[in-house]
Amino acid sequence: PGTSLTETKLCSQLGVSRTPIREALMQLELEGLVKTIHNKGAVVVGISGDDVDDIYTIRVRIEGLAARRAAENITPEELEDLREIVELQEFYVGRGDNLQVWNLDNRFHEIVYEGCRSRPLKQILSLFHNYIQKARETSVRGGRAAASTQEHRAILTAIEQRDPDEAERLMGVHVENARKSFFEMLG
């Protein structure tokens, strides 16, 4: 937060023209992540601890809804993808490779979002996931990999059994546990 982002410097660093930089900065401003200040350019607003807490609170509700809908609407191919992801997570937990577990965590949630068959819900959750990506990475890579993987296994089982109530409940517990873990790590 507070970092100044100038178009010319970003163009030089990224090797692109001003047009995509302007568009990206406008999008970031729409999302509330930067603020344009006259004669200074865009300044990073960032995400506060309160913002992260709010996002987790909202995710508990709507990600639960996504899991509910996935239990009702997921395709056999998506279900197979979820199974493979959880099996790979279990493998990487056994090897202590939390980076791979975290990478697979992202994919697990993306498939649940796809499987819910709600474009607005998927869009909102994807945006929230991106906002708190660093918080999620800190949580999973910081020691929650095994617990997160066990929670994914339980969510997968509920989705496989086409049990929307249980899928919703377990996803809510999963997101709440991730939230608690993140804030405990912050101390």
Side-chain angles (χ1 to χ4, degrees), residues 54-111:
D54 285 345
I55 289 169
Y56 271 114
T57 299
I58 294 165
R59 278 187 62 212
V60 165
R61 303 273 191 227
I62 63 175
E63 198 148 348
L65 176 61
R68 166 181 281 288
R69 292 218 176 146
E72 298 166 339
N73 299 311
I74 199 164
T75 67
E77 295 80 17
E78 290 165 334
L79 199 51
E80 185 56 36
D81 287 345
L82 279 181
R83 282 187 203 106
E84 285 180 30
I85 287 166
V86 171
E87 288 170 8
L88 282 169
Q89 283 185 303
E90 291 167 341
F91 171 77
Y92 285 118
V93 163
R95 294 187 68 196
D97 190 342
N98 291 349
L99 176 60
Q100 287 301 326
V101 174
W102 178 70
N103 288 330
L104 292 163
D105 178 89
N106 284 327
R107 187 70 186 121
F108 179 89
H109 288 273
E110 288 170 5
I111 293 171

Side-chain angles (χ1 to χ4, degrees), residues 118-129:
S118 170
R119 193 179 54 186
L121 191 55
K122 177 185 171 193
Q123 193 172 19
I124 290 167
L125 284 167
S126 295
L127 182 64
F128 280 175
H129 242 197

Side-chain angles (χ1 to χ4, degrees), residues 33 38 54-55 71 83 93-94 99 103 120 137 141 148 159 170 173 180 183 185:
L33 297 174
H38 186 65
D54 285 345
I55 289 169
R83 282 187 203 106
V93 163
L99 176 60
N103 288 330
E137 179 184 8
R141 291 184 69 186
S148 179
I159 291 173
L170 290 169
V173 167
K180 286 178 186 172
F183 284 105
M185 290 174 72

